[in-house]
Amino acid sequence: MIDLGDLNAFVTVARAGGFRDGARASGGSASGLSEAVRRLEAQLGIRLFNRTTRSVVPTEAGLSLLGRLGPALSEVEAALDVVNGFRDRPAGSLRLNVPVSAARLILPSIIPGFLAAYPGIRLEVIAEEDFVDVLAAGCDAGIRYDERLEQDMIAVPIGPRLQHFATAASPAYLDRHGRPEHPSDLLSHSCLRGRFASGSMPPWEFERDGEVVRVDPPGPLIVRIGGAVDLAVDAAIAGTGIVGLFEAWLRPHFESGALEPVLERWWQSFSGPFLYYPGRRLVPAPLRAFIDFIKSGKS
């Protein structure tokens, strides 16, 4: 039996005029579309596209199939939209791919209320720092910051819209080594750094009155951004050095007195994260419910 998804991949590629453009339009991957078309051609026993290094053009058989299939798939999508409209209580699974910071700082204020409002939805949250194709990873949507959003995705603001990168150390450490007055002073301090899974270690960036200062300070500890960040925080509390992290992550330790803000007037602000998902007409009911819940401001 021919898979409906393979037929939809064929229509996407034919309408876009290529696998890459089709991937951008659908929010999928070019390799995934190519494999789907290969399966369809193998099952039908006929070539649907003439492929060259510069173009992907439907064959006569492909054009004939497209002429009949396009309207039919549109009707299927419209029918499913109508069915979803009858759902007072959307049900099903929702998979989100999010950075560890979002799982720690953003979702706890949203998820309990959402699950209480939609008891028929089963939510799975996958937290990682790697930049992945959410569809290829089998997820319905993801959470990322603006500079890491994929192109041609629909983005919905989620969580606080203004955040800060903060630096902090234990009072005991600062009493022993002094309190920095300018970001450049960090070059003579022990700093606890983070490295992405890709291997990059971003510099610390500060801003005040239009002046931007980037420093790459030394330090005795480097942790993987995401899963090992709490180790750096614990080390800072123990007096090992100065840690740089989201202000919201460090705020409980400011309130308890375990950590003291460092260079607070230099802390740089940045916009909050976005929920993003493929820009397609048919959005799964659980994801639509989550989007509506976020937009309603009930979280």
Side-chain angles (χ1 to χ4, degrees):
M1 183 176 179
I2 292 177
D3 187 90
L4 184 61
D6 291 349
L7 292 172
N8 195 49
F10 161 72
V11 172
T12 298
V13 173
R15 287 175 173 171
F19 293 102
R20 287 188 178 180
D21 289 340
R24 281 193 287 267
S26 65
S29 66
S31 60
L33 290 176
S34 179
E35 181 59 31
V37 170
R38 283 198 200 94
R39 282 196 303 267
L40 183 59
E41 289 179 327
Q43 286 187 282
L44 293 176
I46 192 168
R47 180 176 291 276
L48 299 174
F49 291 104
N50 288 319
R51 303 166 176 83
T52 70
T53 56
R54 295 190 177 184
S55 65
V56 178
V57 180
T59 62
E60 183 178 356
L63 287 172
S64 178
L65 180 61
L66 179 63
R68 299 294 297 272
L69 197 56
L73 287 176
S74 295
E75 283 299 314
V76 170
E77 287 191 356
L80 291 174
D81 277 344
V82 169
V83 171
N84 282 333
F86 281 101
R87 286 182 180 270
D88 292 328
R89 295 277 183 175
S93 297
L94 173 62
R95 300 184 81 226
L96 301 178
N97 185 283
V98 309
V100 174
S101 59
R104 174 76 173 265
L105 305 175
I106 304 297
L107 293 182
S109 65
I110 297 174
I111 296 307
F114 172 70
L115 293 179
Y118 298 99
I121 292 178
R122 179 175 178 268
L123 176 64
E124 181 177 354
V125 177
I126 299 156
E128 58 187 355
E129 294 303 319
D130 293 344
F131 188 52
V132 301
D133 181 330
V134 291
L135 292 182
C139 296
D140 300 293
I143 294 178
R144 291 291 184 271
Y145 286 86
D146 187 48
E147 71 275 8
R148 302 189 74 192
L149 284 177
E150 295 181 40
Q151 292 183 348
D152 301 322
M153 289 281 184
I154 295 176
V156 179
I158 183 171
R161 300 324 302 150
L162 187 66
Q163 299 188 11
H164 292 90
F165 175 79
T167 40
S170 70
Y173 172 88
L174 296 173
D175 288 343
R176 289 196 309 271
H177 300 281
R179 287 163 172 77
E181 297 182 0
H182 188 275
S184 61
D185 295 339
L186 295 174
L187 296 175
S188 60
H189 280 267
S190 296
C191 294
L192 315 177
R193 305 288 301 279
R195 190 192 302 277
F196 283 110
S198 65
S200 67
M201 189 163 64
W204 286 359
E205 191 166 297
F206 300 86
E207 185 174 2
R208 180 182 176 188
D209 298 331
E211 180 187 359
V212 176
V213 179
R214 296 178 181 85
V215 295
D216 195 12
L221 177 65
I222 299 171
V223 301
R224 173 67 60 86
I225 291 176
V229 167
D230 279 328
L231 174 60
V233 175
D234 290 342
I237 292 172
T240 306
I242 298 174
V243 66
L245 197 57
F246 292 101
E247 178 191 6
W249 201 310
L250 298 176
R251 188 178 301 123
H253 304 298
F254 294 152
E255 294 171 352
S256 71
L259 290 177
E260 179 181 319
V262 172
L263 296 170
E264 186 171 4
R265 292 200 297 173
W266 284 89
W267 288 355
Q268 191 174 59
S269 62
F270 54 95
S271 63
F274 295 84
L275 176 79
Y276 74 101
Y277 58 97
R280 58 192 181 193
R281 183 166 177 259
L282 184 62
V283 176
L287 177 56
R288 172 52 59 193
F290 190 66
I291 294 167
D292 292 343
F293 187 81
I294 293 170
K295 289 182 175 179
S296 72
K298 295 178 182 177
S299 57

